Each structure stands twice: as structure tokens, then as C-alpha cells.
Amino acid sequence: MTPAMRTGPGPSSGTPAPARLLRAVGPPLSSLPLAAAVRGAVALATPLLVGVLTGWVFPSVIAAIGALWAVGQDGSDPYPSRVGRFVALGLSASLGLADGELALRSGPSAVVTVCLVVAALVAGAIGLRGRIWSVAGMHLLLGVTIGGGIPVPGPWWQAPIALFAGVSFVLVLSSAPWLWRRHHIERAALLAVFRAASTALAAAGTPGAAETRRHLTDALDNAHQTMDRHLTSSRRQPPDARVEPLLRAFRLAVRLGEAVTTLQWEARPLPAVVSRAPLVMSARLLPVRKDGDVPVLPDFGPHSPGLHALAQLSVAADAERVDTALAAPASPRPTRQAHLRYAVLLALCVLAAQVCADLLHSPRAYWLPMTVAFVYKPDFGPVFRRALNRCVGTVVGAAAIGAVSTAVHGTYAFIGVVAFFGALMAVGVRHHYALATTGLTAVVFVLVDLLGDHRALYGARMLDTALAAALVLVVHFVAWPRSAVSRADSRTQAALAAAHRYQDLSPTVGPDRRHALRRAAYRQLADARRAAVHARREPVLRGAEPPDWERAITSAEELCDAVTARALHAAPGPAAQTTVTVASSDAM
């Protein structure tokens, strides 16, 4: 049994810290994204109010559609990342809307079909290249779908401009807090690391130690991504006075991760004062108030080299020392064959959906291909669960807006309904796809009604969604049934290679390079674990059970823990030479 697997009685991870410390590090982020919910409500209601008051109803509805899509991509990541994502969304969606409009105005329905298929090929070709490319590809296809399915009066260029204006409005709402709390996101990410470290230390020597270490690793990785822009700029010039404390806290957080991993590897319960040490550090590094009430880190005593390393971090915090920036690790990318296959299958699904829409006639002209564009996103999670949640969300959303319609009357009342469901969608984006779909479906019903389509289409939309989801599932699982398994295999192999690289190079490199290797290994192991979870959530053929990726990933995590402990001389004697044999997923 490896040291990381030893268990024993220990202090509860729920041991309360002193109230003074909790006040010093600030309250944890709420699980309910109230700010995002408010943005969702304001972003969708405002364009409609402007349209009703000015008489420009059609452009305002198109702007609300752009805001609706932007709310679906809103997040809590750093502001520069949001700007890039929203700009890519707005440009691609506007371009797609213009193409779809021109195809619709040209006359023959075949032109719209060709335009949709071409857009699907482009969206599929770029959709697996990363988050921004994925968002751009999906919204290019959505723009063509709406432009080719909903006739909009006025010049052809008016609707794309209105759509981009709606996206830009959400961009302003989402990024405006940067003006008065510029580094709030970075600070919150760093505080999350110190809180996770405190929880991990409290769990040392208990069965839950490995899980708390994974949470700490995820928090460190998120902090690195959040701080990446500042780390890059610090290589070229001295950091700004407001950024320097954040950089210092980040360096200490990275070294704290090693110390905590080492103490967990020792697998013995720690006194409560040790688990509070990260909270003390964060209160000294990132104080909420400058009132002179700075907590003092107590003397741990000569318990172990791991505790000695933890005490050294406190000294380094006082010295305000900044190390060299760490390079971000590379992640495995889908192959060119995967890009091509996804592009062809997405185009095939869109073509089938459009043919069904033509055969079934109105009101299915745009809903079927639009649903395909939303559902067939294997990079966003398991396709089967996404299709199922889309159907559930559509049923609940259609039923909800149908019930509301019987009790609510008047344009302003329905704008209030849009605000409510926009807030619900913003919450769902961060918590559950079915909840996000519920909000989106209800909003779309109101927007379509404002465009002049007053038909009761609740049942038709439910059937359309089920048909589109069935098309995606049939095409995907017939032509590419092992896509999730292949993705989990490739990511597991990349993660195992990163773990072995960390083991091989750690004794011969300096601390900064060692930190980068460690982060690369743990980050790819976390990606592999997520890919394995996704693959297990997809249906498999009988007798085609997937490999035991989790066993290989767990063994590699234990290897990385042992290497980290050895690097800090926390495993004296024979334990220092611990080697964990990591099985390849091909051999399982």
C-alpha cells in the first residue's frame, strides 16, 4: 500500500477556523451566481423595452437573440477572456445571420439548405480547436439557421448589426465590474487555493485526502489560468504595484501545493493549527481590510520536513519574494481525422434536420437545425446527456411559458417574463444544461411571438426537439460510437506520459521547472479523469466495456504525490525511492 493510500483517524475537514481568520480571507463565493442572473435579466429585457418604446420591435428582438446567445456564454473567467469570447461570438453569429438572410431572400429553399450545410462543415472543422473556436463555430451555424428560417423586414444588414449590438451589450454588462474591482477575479481564484489547501490539510490521514488534493490541484490550475496574463507580462516588465501582491500570493500558492501534497503523502493526522495555516497566509498576503490585524502563523515545531516546508512558506510570504513565471503546459488536441469526421457528421445531421423540416413543412423551418447546432457539441460534454437534457429543458420550458401565457397579458408583462427566464438561463449555464435550456426555450417563445408568430407551438417544439436529438444520436452513435472512448484513451495516455515526465525530470531541474512539470501532470490527469467520466456517461454496446481509466489515473496521481514528497525530502529512507507502476489503459 502506498503512503497516499494509508488512512487513519484525523481531524474533521469541517473543523471551524477562528472567526477572525474567516473575516480576514473573506467569504467564499456563493454557489448561486446572483450577478450573472441579474445580467441575464437586464440583458434580455433592455433591448425589448427599447424596441417597444421606440417602435423598432424587429431589430430589438434580433438584438435580444444576440443577448440570449451571449448570456449562454457568460462566465466568471478573467475579463480579457470574456472579451475575446464575446467578440468571436458576435462576429461569427452576425456573419452567419447575414449569410442566412441573403440565402432566404434569394428565393429557392435549396439555397438555404446549401448555406446551412456549408456553415455546418465550417463549424465542425473549427469546433474542436478550443473554447473560442468552438463558440464561434456553433454561433456561425446558429446565425445561418435563424437568418435562413425567420424572415426579417428591412435591409439585409440591419439584423446582423442588431444581433452584434445585443452581444456587445452583454459584453459591457459582463466586463463593466473591471472598472471598480479590477483584480477581483484573480484574488478570488487565489483565495480558493488557500481555502482548498486548508481543507486538504484537515483531511490528511483520512479516506477523503485524495479527493481534497484533487480539489486543491483544480484550484491551483484555475488560479494559473486566471493569472496567466499577469505572469506573461511580468516576464517583460516589472509588475504593477496592484498586481505584485497577487503574483507573490500565486508563487506562494504554488509552493503551498507541494507542501500540502507532501503532508498528505505522509498520511498522518495533523493538528488543527496546521490546517489553519493556509488561511493565515492568505490573510497576510491578500488582506480584505488594512486595519493592522494581521494573523500570526504559530510555530509548528520540528514535526516533519513537510511541516518545515510549510513554515518556510510563511517566511517567504514576509520576504515578498517573486519567482520566475511558470510556463503553461500543453494539452492534447484532437487529431485532424477527428476534426474532419465531426465536420462531416455535423453537416449530415443539419442536412437531415433541414430535409425533415421541409417534408414536415412549417413550423419546423429553423427549430430542427437550431437544435442540432446546440446538441451536437461533443467538446461540451457527453452527447447523449446533452440531447436528453435538451429534451427535458424544452419540455419544461414550453410547459412553463404555456402556463404563464394563460395568466400574463400585455407586452410589458411578457418582457418581465423574459427577464425572469433570462436570469434562470444564466443560473443554468453554470449549474445544469437542462435548466439553461428551460430558460432559453421560454425566452425564444416570447421572442418569436414578438416577431409576429402567435401560433401555439408548444407541442410542435417538443416533438421537433426530440426529433432533432434523435437524429444527432443516431448519426453520432452509428458513425462515431467510440469518440468519447477515444478521447478518454488519448487524454489518459497523455496524462500518464506527463506523470512519467515529472518523475524522470523532477530530480534534475530547478524549483520553477519542477512546478511547471507538476502542474502539467496534475492538470492532464484531471482532464483525463473528466474525459473518463464523460465516456462512461455515453451508451456502450454490450460486451464493449471501456478500459479502467480511473485505476491508471489514480496510480499516476499517487506517483506524482510520491515524486512531490521526494522533491521536498518528505519521505526519508526507502520511502523516498517509492515508484508507482502505472498501467497503460491499452492493457486494461
Side-chain angles (χ1 to χ4, degrees):
M1 181 178 293
T2 65
M5 296 173 64
R6 287 187 244 135
T7 61
S12 170
S13 61
T15 302
R20 178 172 59 88
L21 282 181
L22 292 179
R23 287 197 304 270
V25 300
L29 294 178
S30 172
S31 59
L32 183 63
L34 293 177
V38 172
R39 287 199 298 270
V42 173
L44 290 172
T46 302
L48 299 181
L49 282 172
V50 172
V52 170
L53 293 175
T54 62
W56 291 59
V57 176
F58 277 84
S60 72
V61 171
I62 298 300
I65 291 175
L68 178 70
W69 292 345
V71 168
Q73 295 300 323
D74 195 7
S76 57
D77 49 337
Y79 298 114
S81 301
R82 301 187 205 182
V83 171
R85 188 166 63 252
F86 283 132
V87 169
L89 187 161
L91 291 176
S92 60
S94 300
L95 176 62
L97 184 63
D99 291 342
E101 267 201 290
L102 292 174
L104 182 64
R105 295 179 185 216
S106 67
S109 61
V111 178
V112 174
T113 301
V114 171
C115 188
L116 278 170
V117 172
V118 171
L121 286 170
V122 174
I126 66 176
L128 301 181
R129 297 183 180 275
R131 175 71 186 276
I132 289 182
W133 287 105
S134 179
V135 169
M138 181 175 73
H139 288 88
L140 173 71
L141 179 55
L142 287 173
V144 173
T145 301
I146 296 300
I150 300 179
V152 179
W156 66 269
W157 48 263
Q158 188 179 74
I161 292 177
L163 186 78
F164 190 82
V167 176
S168 301
F169 182 50
V170 179
L171 169 60
V172 171
L173 292 176
S174 182
S175 302
W178 178 83
L179 296 174
W180 61 85
R181 52 176 193 176
R182 185 161 300 185
H183 302 303
H184 169 76
I185 295 174
E186 292 89 337
R187 188 178 182 281
L190 290 169
L191 287 176
V193 175
F194 288 96
R195 290 194 180 97
S198 177
T199 303
L201 288 173
T206 70
E211 186 64 25
T212 60
R213 201 270 306 140
R214 292 189 193 109
H215 288 315
L216 172 60
T217 302
D218 290 342
L220 266 172
D221 187 58
N222 179 62
H224 198 299
Q225 294 183 56
T226 303
M227 292 292 296
D228 186 62
R229 180 171 61 96
H230 303 298
L231 294 168
T232 302
S233 63
S234 68
R235 301 170 191 170
R236 299 190 297 265
Q237 59 186 10
D240 182 85
R242 291 172 296 183
V243 176
E244 188 174 358
L246 298 173
L247 291 171
R248 184 169 64 252
F250 172 74
R251 313 296 182 203
L252 268 294
V254 170
R255 294 164 61 188
L256 176 63
E258 280 195 328
V260 171
T261 300
T262 300
L263 288 167
Q264 280 203 342
W265 189 86
E266 291 176 348
R268 60 187 178 86
L270 298 170
V273 66
V274 176
S275 66
R276 292 198 296 269
L279 299 179
V280 176
M281 292 179 187
S282 63
R284 295 164 66 178
L285 290 163
L286 301 166
V288 176
R289 302 171 308 188
K290 297 183 179 179
D291 54 6
D293 184 19
V294 179
V296 178
L297 195 68
D299 183 13
F300 297 131
H303 295 85
S304 74
L307 288 175
H308 178 66
L310 195 62
Q312 283 184 321
L313 293 183
S314 176
V315 176
D318 290 333
E320 300 186 4
R321 176 170 162 267
V322 179
D323 300 324
T324 305
L326 306 180
S331 299
R333 297 283 187 178
T335 63
R336 182 176 299 180
Q337 182 182 7
H339 287 289
L340 179 60
R341 181 177 294 190
Y342 174 53
V344 172
L345 293 182
L346 179 60
L348 182 61
C349 289
V350 168
L351 176 61
Q354 187 66 9
V355 169
C356 289
D358 289 340
L359 292 176
L360 297 173
H361 304 294
S362 183
R364 298 171 175 84
Y366 63 89
W367 196 272
L368 280 164
M370 182 184 73
T371 302
V372 168
F374 277 119
V375 168
Y376 201 8
K377 293 294 297 175
D379 56 318
F380 281 9
V383 176
F384 178 79
R385 286 175 64 93
R386 193 169 176 85
L388 179 62
N389 287 329
R390 186 80 193 179
C391 292
V392 171
T394 301
V395 170
V396 175
I401 195 63
V404 169
S405 299
T406 61
V408 174
H409 304 283
T411 302
Y412 292 104
F414 272 104
I415 292 176
V417 170
V418 167
F420 171 79
F421 282 105
L424 182 67
M425 177 184 171
V427 174
V429 165
R430 289 157 179 78
H431 287 278
H432 202 282
Y433 184 59
L435 187 63
T437 302
T438 298
L440 182 144
T441 301
V443 170
V444 169
F445 270 100
V446 177
L447 296 182
V448 170
D449 186 78
L450 291 174
L451 286 174
D453 190 347
H454 305 300
R455 294 171 293 176
L457 302 176
Y458 308 114
R461 292 312 184 209
M462 296 179 191
L463 293 175
D464 291 346
T465 302
L467 177 58
L471 284 173
V472 169
L473 293 178
V474 169
V475 171
H476 178 69
F477 288 109
V478 168
W480 204 7
R482 291 184 56 83
S483 63
V485 172
S486 299
R487 190 180 306 111
D489 271 336
S490 64
R491 298 210 169 180
T492 301
Q493 294 297 338
L496 300 186
H500 283 298
R501 188 165 56 250
Y502 176 44
Q503 178 191 29
D504 296 339
L505 298 180
S506 178
T508 63
V509 298
D512 295 323
R513 178 61 177 159
R514 188 179 73 242
H515 293 322
L517 290 168
R518 178 177 179 273
R519 180 187 179 233
Y522 281 121
R523 181 183 189 182
Q524 294 196 27
L525 285 166
D527 288 343
R529 191 175 289 277
R530 283 189 290 269
V533 171
H534 288 172
R536 294 199 184 282
R537 288 175 175 174
E538 298 282 31
V540 295
L541 298 176
R542 181 174 298 179
E545 288 299 319
D548 190 359
W549 300 293
E550 290 84 355
R551 181 168 62 87
I553 293 168
T554 299
S555 297
E557 289 173 342
E558 293 171 359
L559 169 64
C560 292
D561 291 347
V563 171
T564 300
R566 186 169 63 239
L568 292 186
H569 306 288
Q577 305 301 321
T578 299
T579 301
V580 180
T581 301
V582 181
S584 167
S585 63
D586 289 340
M588 296 174 192

